[in-house]
């Protein structure tokens, strides 16, 4: 396996913390030149079904496509994931192989980006994706799987604050043609109004990770 994307925490710790990390990244926000390419098989259209009834969203302006990106990374000491992150966003380290990026001063529950190395879990993309769906279905309210592809999902749920959240998760697999192991997980989450910007964000960041593997 390539050294550029190596998990530095134990399999047991990642397995226990994976769902918590996804839910944390979807529920919290802290103190938004490249040419976008579409996520494989992912439709940029918004869901046609009505979202679950919930409290009104924060009135923070919607995330827009077309952000400027800069070189970035997570991890250290030879255990790095190199990527491009939105310029001006604040990076928050969650763990040795995980970080999120938010806009300083945004109100709680607006939008964010999260990237995690999941290589040490030693799971295929299909397995880690299926387990994530089942865990989110069990642990969140009004969960709805809007769209699923081989490497991504779009979901809607109501968080503990009564706010409707839109989640987009994408997995990058090992570039070795003989391996289907997931090595990086990317999540871009926010409100319905943020969806066009979130889809553009996860596409650009995912493409930058793939280019560096």
């Amino acid at each position: 396996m390539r050294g550029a994307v190596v998990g530095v925490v134990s399999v047991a710790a990642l397995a226990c913390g994976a769902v918590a990390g996804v839910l944390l990244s979807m529920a919290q926000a802290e103190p938004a030149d490249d040419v976008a390419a579409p996520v494989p098989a992912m439709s940029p259209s918004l869901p046609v079904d009505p979202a679950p009834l919930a409290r009104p969203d924060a009135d923070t302006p919607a995330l827009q496509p077309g952000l400027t990106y800069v070189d970035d990374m997570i991890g250290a000491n030879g255990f790095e994931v190199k990527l491009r992150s939105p310029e001006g966003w604040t990076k928050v380290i969650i763990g040795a192989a995980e970080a999120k990026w938010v806009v300083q001063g945004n109100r709680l529950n607006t939008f964010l980006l999260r990237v995690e190395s999941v290589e040490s879990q030693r799971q295929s993309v299909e397995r880690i994706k299926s387990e994530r769906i089942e865990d989110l279905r069990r642990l969140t309210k009004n969960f709805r799987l809007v769209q699923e592809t081989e490497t991504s999902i779009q979901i809607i749920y109501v968080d503990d604050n009564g706010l409707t959240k839109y989640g987009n998760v994408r997995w990058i697999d090992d570039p070795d043609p003989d391996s289907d192991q997931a090595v990086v997980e990317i999540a871009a989450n926010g409100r319905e109004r943020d969806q066009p910007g979130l889809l553009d964000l996860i596409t650009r960041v995912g493409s930058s990770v793939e280019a560096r593997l």
Side-chain angles (χ1 to χ4, degrees), residues 106-208:
N106 266 5
R107 292 182 58 186
L108 188 67
N109 296 304
T110 49
F111 49 80
L112 58 84
L113 166 72
R114 182 182 63 83
V115 180
E116 178 184 5
S117 170
V118 295
E119 184 174 2
S120 64
Q121 295 187 38
R122 300 185 182 278
Q123 292 184 324
S124 68
V125 171
E126 180 59 34
R127 181 176 178 183
I128 199 171
K129 174 167 62 75
S130 297
E131 290 182 354
R132 187 75 75 253
I133 291 171
E134 290 308 309
D135 287 335
L136 290 167
R137 193 187 304 277
R138 177 171 52 87
L139 296 172
T140 63
K141 303 174 184 177
N142 299 92
F143 173 86
R144 186 163 80 239
L145 179 62
V146 176
Q147 187 173 74
E148 178 181 3
T149 75
E150 291 183 355
T151 58
S152 66
I153 57 175
Q154 291 182 30
I155 65 171
I156 302 175
Y157 71 99
V158 176
D159 70 11
D160 291 338
N161 296 314
L163 295 167
T164 300
K165 307 306 297 180
Y166 285 68
N168 308 277
V169 188
R170 179 182 178 185
W171 290 270
I172 307 296
D173 60 3
D174 190 329
D176 184 340
D178 296 325
S179 173
D180 63 351
Q181 181 174 323
V183 292
V184 179
E185 179 175 290
I186 306 168
N189 310 304
R191 306 156 299 175
E192 180 179 12
R193 71 183 71 176
D194 302 316
Q195 268 296 83
L198 292 170
L199 292 173
D200 186 62
L201 173 62
I202 201 170
T203 297
R204 296 180 185 228
V205 174
S207 296
S208 75

Side-chain angles (χ1 to χ4, degrees), residues 78-100:
F79 301 99
E80 299 92 359
V81 174
K82 295 182 180 180
L83 65 141
R84 287 176 66 77
S85 64
E87 184 176 29
W89 288 32
T90 299
K91 182 178 179 180
V92 181
I93 303 300
I94 299 175
E98 184 179 7
K100 66 180 178 181

Side-chain angles (χ1 to χ4, degrees), residues 22-39:
V22 171
L23 295 179
L24 175 65
S25 72
M26 291 178 178
Q28 292 184 343
E30 301 179 13
D33 303 322
D34 300 337
V35 178
V39 175

